[in-house]
Amino acid sequence: MRLRSFRSGSFILKFGTFLLFIELFYVIHLIISNIVWTDMDGNILFLMLNKEHRIDRFLKSYEGDCEISLRKQNLRKNTTLCDCLPSVTEHKITINTARTPTWNEIANKYNKTLSSKGEYKPNDCEPLQSVAIIIPYMKRDSHLKILINHLHFILPRQKIHYRIFVIEQNSPSIFNKAAIMNIGFVEAGKLFNFTCSIFHDVDMLAEDGRNMYNCLYSPRHIGSHVNKYGYRLFYNELIGGALAITPKHFRRVNGYSTSFYGWGGEDDDMKNRLSAQSLKITRFPKEISRFTMLKHEQDKHNPTNKFRRSAVDTRKLVYEKDGLNSLNYSIVETRERSLFTLIKANLYISQHNQFNKIKGSCKETRYFLTKSISTDSIEDCSILCYNDQRCLSFDFYANYCRKHFKPCVIEDSNKENRYVYDKKEKSKYLKYFIYEQIDTFTCVQNRMETFGL
Ligand code: UDP
Ligand code: BGC
Ligand code: MN
């Protein structure tokens, strides 16, 4: 008997301890789950409240933020404004890519919904913004059909005023997505008085109807959680895929760079431009900003830009000269199709010998640098080296070294060439500025030792 009562006492004790633990976990959970996580810039990444509460709070914080254009408008009395917050209740969108619809099928489906060609305007409320959706495009016919079908399905439900522009690169053969997006911005502006621009890849499909296609005070990375990256933000600085930005902000950063031919980098460069103007990026919660990227191989006419990293590092130094104001193009055709406006363009922007390191204007640049030592800053140098990617990559290494050691010397692998990078010692920098491809390099901390000075 005694033994039994002892055992049941121990059981009660254990059970009590167990309950205590559960309570403790619950309290810890409550504390942790109310933490607000922010990124380095102080942007809210996610509020760890319970899921619904979190999304709700995030969206509330955004209320009023998209009323940008309204402040200037004189609204008639008794006007019903369209919702700025998503009001779609059926927000999960099934994405079925098994079959590509034909243009006729899509047109028949949406002809009655659209207010005019490629454009929709709600008629039961006053829209807050007019949105230009700008799609850079080259030889992706099936993706275009799927996207246009998708957009005209989700966007009227959001009760926004939008018009779709597809900007097709006609020539040259290597794709320059960023320049094409700039052209879209300029040309759409001639046809449509928009207060929000959305730069949208042709293969990106929103999975959640609550992901509003409109602009906030800060540029918004709409397509931040993509299936291709397991619905994670691939890296903190990423803004590619789909970006909403007001024309005012876009002009302020001089649009995208025009010098990125081939795949990659142009979006990272845009992030630098925005940061330089203290424009922070916002993103919707991961449940809402989910996107499917249609599967595809890398396009032949869009080879990876091997110089993109060094270019990203140096382009930001010259963004005031490279962008909307350095566009050089001609319009081949502008056609108002029933589902979108097609703008076809030829680009006349130098390819900077990115794919041919041997040929090019290296000699001229070198001549300029050695004869005109008056160049007085590294920034100037990168402008002068505009046509020489080797110079850009040199700059990249120099900047990399500079971050670690000051002053900085870069040696190439044979220790034959040494480069001084020190803003204060410009002349030395130029003296050792020899046009050699640096394959491997080391940063040498002590310049004195290296030069025996
Ligand atoms: N693009 C295009 N044709 C091409 C290459 C790119 O239309 O040959 C456009 C298209 O809008 C595409 C975007 O540029 O979605 C980004 O290119 P890609 O999809 O290759 O890059 P990813 O984001 O998949 O790395
Ligand atoms: C490229 C970006 C691209 C990202 C994600 C980076 O290396 O520079 O242009 O969006 O990768 O694919
Ligand atoms: Mn893609």
Side-chain angles (χ1 to χ4, degrees):
M1 275 303 271
R2 218 185 260 171
L3 199 66
R4 198 178 279 174
S5 81
F6 174 75
R7 272 187 187 156
S8 69
S10 138
F11 173 74
I12 290 168
L13 205 73
K14 279 184 185 160
F15 190 63
T17 320
F18 175 68
L19 285 181
L20 211 73
F21 265 112
I22 291 194
E23 247 174 80
L24 200 69
F25 276 125
Y26 184 64
V27 171
I28 291 172
H29 165 78
L30 278 185
I31 294 169
I32 292 178
S33 64
N34 279 289
I35 288 175
V36 178
W37 293 76
T38 58
D39 66 11
M40 288 180 304
D41 292 337
N43 299 321
I44 294 177
L45 286 182
F46 52 92
L47 296 158
M48 266 186 74
L49 300 166
N50 74 52
K51 201 166 143 191
E52 289 311 310
H53 189 180
R54 169 158 55 88
I55 294 172
D56 220 46
R57 247 178 81 170
F58 188 94
L59 293 176
K60 285 246 160 59
S61 71
Y62 151 71
E63 202 166 20
D65 202 17
C66 56
E67 293 177 13
I68 301 163
S69 57
L70 277 182
R71 289 166 200 274
K72 291 180 200 128
Q73 279 176 27
N74 291 323
L75 287 171
R76 278 172 283 116
K77 273 189 183 166
N78 304 325
T79 312
T80 312
L81 296 178
C82 302
D83 280 337
C84 184
L85 290 173
S87 53
V88 260
T89 41
E90 290 295 315
H91 55 79
K92 283 227 153 51
I93 302 160
T94 319
I95 293 180
N96 182 1
T97 54
R99 190 183 151 268
T100 306
T102 65
W103 284 126
N104 272 343
E105 279 167 0
I106 309 169
N108 290 339
K109 213 152 99 189
Y110 299 112
N111 261 347
K112 288 197 185 100
T113 323
L114 298 182
S115 335
S116 59
K117 288 188 170 180
E119 181 173 352
Y120 172 82
K121 194 171 184 177
N123 49 22
D124 52 351
C125 59
E126 193 61 39
L128 291 152
Q129 300 177 7
S130 297
V131 185
I133 297 168
I134 295 164
I135 304 167
Y137 176 79
M138 195 173 180
K139 298 179 186 164
R140 292 270 194 107
D141 185 58
S142 145
H143 287 183
L144 188 61
K145 285 174 184 146
I146 294 172
L147 176 68
I148 297 291
N149 188 30
H150 191 74
L151 289 176
H152 286 316
F153 174 78
I154 54 171
L155 298 186
R157 286 171 172 73
Q158 294 190 347
K159 299 215 180 257
I160 57 165
H161 177 205
Y162 70 89
R163 180 165 164 186
I164 300 180
F165 296 87
V166 174
I167 326 300
E168 181 172 359
Q169 181 172 316
N170 188 57
S171 75
S173 55
I174 295 181
F175 195 50
N176 185 334
K177 178 182 158 188
I180 284 296
M181 291 193 284
N182 282 350
I183 294 172
F185 179 84
V186 173
E187 293 300 317
K190 294 177 186 167
L191 303 167
F192 183 48
N193 188 13
F194 58 90
T195 56
C196 172
S197 35
I198 296 186
F199 296 94
H200 202 296
D201 280 7
V202 77
D203 52 15
M204 290 279 283
L205 308 175
E207 291 184 20
D208 195 305
R210 293 171 296 178
N211 198 354
M212 298 294 286
Y213 273 53
N214 58 15
C215 285
L216 306 181
Y217 284 123
S218 283
R220 180 161 60 98
H221 186 204
I222 296 188
S224 46
H225 295 83
V226 188
N227 63 342
K228 183 179 169 185
Y229 304 117
Y231 296 104
R232 281 159 202 263
L233 182 61
F234 191 37
Y235 54 93
N236 216 10
E237 309 292 300
L238 183 71
I239 59 166
L243 178 74
I245 178 169
T246 59
K248 193 174 137 200
H249 286 165
F250 192 70
R251 280 194 206 97
R252 209 205 282 178
V253 298
N254 195 18
Y256 283 95
S257 165
T258 60
S259 58
F260 285 81
Y261 273 93
W263 182 90
E266 81 296 330
D267 48 348
D268 304 319
D269 174 81
M270 174 52 90
K271 175 68 180 75
N272 281 340
R273 288 166 184 245
L274 297 171
S275 302
Q277 287 293 325
S278 308
L279 292 169
K280 290 179 179 175
I281 294 290
T282 44
R283 297 185 179 92
F284 272 10
K286 61 180 188 301
E287 290 81 0
I288 297 183
S289 52
R290 287 167 70 89
F291 267 78
T292 291
M293 186 195 283
L294 293 167
K295 280 207 178 109
H296 62 83
E297 302 290 322
Q298 178 156 22
D299 304 89
K300 284 197 185 71
H301 43 272
N302 198 27
T304 302
N305 176 356
K306 286 191 282 179
F307 301 100
R308 69 182 187 286
R309 294 219 167 84
S310 52
V312 166
D313 222 53
T314 51
R315 285 295 86 192
K316 64 181 171 207
L317 303 172
V318 292
Y319 77 82
E320 282 143 348
K321 298 181 187 200
D322 169 21
L324 284 172
N325 62 2
S326 64
L327 278 179
N328 191 358
Y329 66 98
S330 67
I331 296 298
V332 180
E333 177 187 10
T334 299
R335 190 157 30 119
E336 294 197 6
R337 294 178 50 165
S338 60
L339 297 159
F340 56 88
T341 302
L342 176 74
I343 298 169
K344 227 188 232 188
N346 288 332
L347 286 179
Y348 307 111
I349 297 167
S350 153
Q351 291 182 32
H352 306 315
N353 315 311
Q354 279 187 82
F355 302 98
N356 187 346
K357 286 193 211 161
I358 314 297
K359 288 182 198 160
S361 55
C362 180
K363 269 188 192 155
E364 281 165 42
T365 321
R366 184 174 180 169
Y367 175 82
F368 191 91
L369 273 173
T370 49
K371 296 285 174 191
S372 314
I373 289 286
S374 63
T375 310
D376 61 6
S377 73
I378 178 72
E379 280 84 351
D380 283 346
C381 171
S382 63
I383 298 164
L384 297 176
C385 300
Y386 196 80
N387 284 319
D388 190 343
Q389 282 292 339
R390 283 178 288 178
C391 177
L392 290 183
S393 74
F394 175 82
D395 257 14
F396 172 71
Y397 296 126
N399 276 324
Y400 176 84
C401 279
R402 193 169 52 132
K403 275 181 202 155
H404 295 79
F405 311 108
K406 255 183 181 179
C408 170
V409 173
I410 304 170
E411 294 182 342
D412 70 8
S413 42
N414 303 323
K415 298 202 182 232
E416 275 172 13
N417 296 306
R418 288 164 180 171
Y419 310 89
V420 179
Y421 186 86
D422 182 353
K423 271 197 174 179
K424 284 189 200 130
E425 302 201 48
K426 291 156 201 158
S427 55
K428 280 215 176 85
Y429 171 72
L430 290 169
K431 195 169 153 198
Y432 291 97
F433 196 99
I434 307 161
Y435 281 93
E436 294 291 340
Q437 184 65 33
I438 309 169
D439 290 323
T440 57
F441 72 98
T442 45
C443 296
V444 184
Q445 190 165 13
N446 192 332
R447 183 174 51 84
M448 303 297 192
E449 267 173 31
T450 313
F451 285 90
L453 296 172

